[in-house]
Amino acid sequence: MPVFQFNPPERFVAGTVGQPGDRTFFLQAVGEGRITSVVLEKAQVEALATRIEELLEEVHRRFGAPPDDSEPPEDDRPLEQPIEQDFRVGTLALAWDAEAARVIIEAQEIDESAGEDVVEDDEEELEVFAEDAPAHRDVLRVYLTPGAARAFAGRALKVVSAGRPDCPLCGRPLDPNGHICARQNGYRPDRLV
């Protein structure tokens, strides 16, 4: 099982390729002359960022402010080139290593042989961290300081929100030509308002 491990990465970010409405989402880890880029769904990026923030709040509540809690400067650079997909993410896991005071993020390859589907429900996307992933899946494992994890989550949420605006009525993304809105009984406006 290939494990792409970065402890710590020089850079770990969420980013996209493509135009809003047709974007491909990536997690990208850079370190020691390596670039690992994995593809995942927008909902997975959003769920991961939200859960990181929740985890850090819980750590602060239980243990106080962890050491190494300073955020690095904001990283608004594009993804590193070349962007080559190493695998598609099926399962994300998140954990806190109290001894090292690190957030551990693990992305496991989707198991297409088992018919695993990427789910849209964020309640099912993050599982409890397991030390050993199934032997047939590739894994990206990243160890981040609390500050670096908070910076990652902030950028990830910005990347997610940079897409198409949501319909104020139904909450679904608006296409440039409008959309069929269930709240308006299928009425499709001619243009964005």
Side-chain angles (χ1 to χ4, degrees):
M1 161 183 76
V3 176
F4 304 95
Q5 185 161 300
F6 294 82
N7 186 10
E10 294 167 17
R11 183 175 191 226
F12 181 62
V13 295
T16 62
V17 173
Q19 296 300 314
D22 193 30
R23 296 186 297 171
T24 302
F25 286 79
F26 287 90
L27 292 181
Q28 189 177 73
V30 179
E32 299 176 356
R34 301 178 295 149
I35 299 174
T36 300
S37 303
V38 298
V39 173
L40 69 170
E41 297 297 320
K42 176 181 178 178
Q44 290 174 301
V45 174
E46 185 173 26
L48 178 60
T50 302
R51 296 286 168 76
I52 287 172
E53 291 177 342
E54 291 170 359
L55 174 70
L56 292 173
E57 286 175 21
E58 181 67 18
V59 166
H60 189 273
R61 187 181 67 74
R62 285 187 179 186
F63 308 110
D68 259 351
D69 199 22
S70 60
E71 272 188 53
E74 186 174 340
D75 183 352
D76 59 355
R77 296 177 295 147
L79 295 171
E80 300 287 332
Q81 299 291 327
I83 302 171
E84 296 176 5
Q85 174 182 333
D86 289 292
F87 62 87
R88 177 171 284 281
V89 175
T91 304
L92 289 167
L94 182 63
W96 172 251
D97 181 345
E99 287 183 27
R102 296 290 185 264
V103 173
I104 305 170
I105 299 170
E106 185 173 281
Q108 297 176 10
E109 182 179 24
I110 192 167
D111 185 1
E112 294 176 11
S113 66
E116 181 179 327
D117 291 326
V118 175
V119 293
E120 292 290 331
D121 181 10
D122 68 358
E123 291 299 318
E124 297 178 30
E125 290 181 26
L126 292 178
E127 295 181 357
V128 177
F129 179 76
E131 189 62 40
D132 298 312
H136 58 282
R137 296 186 190 181
D138 291 349
V139 174
L140 168 63
R141 188 174 297 144
V142 180
Y143 296 78
L144 300 173
T145 64
R150 192 174 291 108
F152 167 83
R155 176 187 165 126
L157 290 173
K158 284 181 185 176
V159 166
V160 167
S161 66
R164 297 174 289 172
D166 292 333
C167 173
L169 297 174
C170 69
R172 297 188 63 191
L174 288 170
D175 292 323
N177 297 328
H179 75 290
I180 298 173
C181 182
R183 297 284 305 269
Q184 292 187 350
N185 293 327
Y187 171 71
R188 183 183 203 134
D190 290 335
R191 58 180 163 49
L192 292 176
V193 178

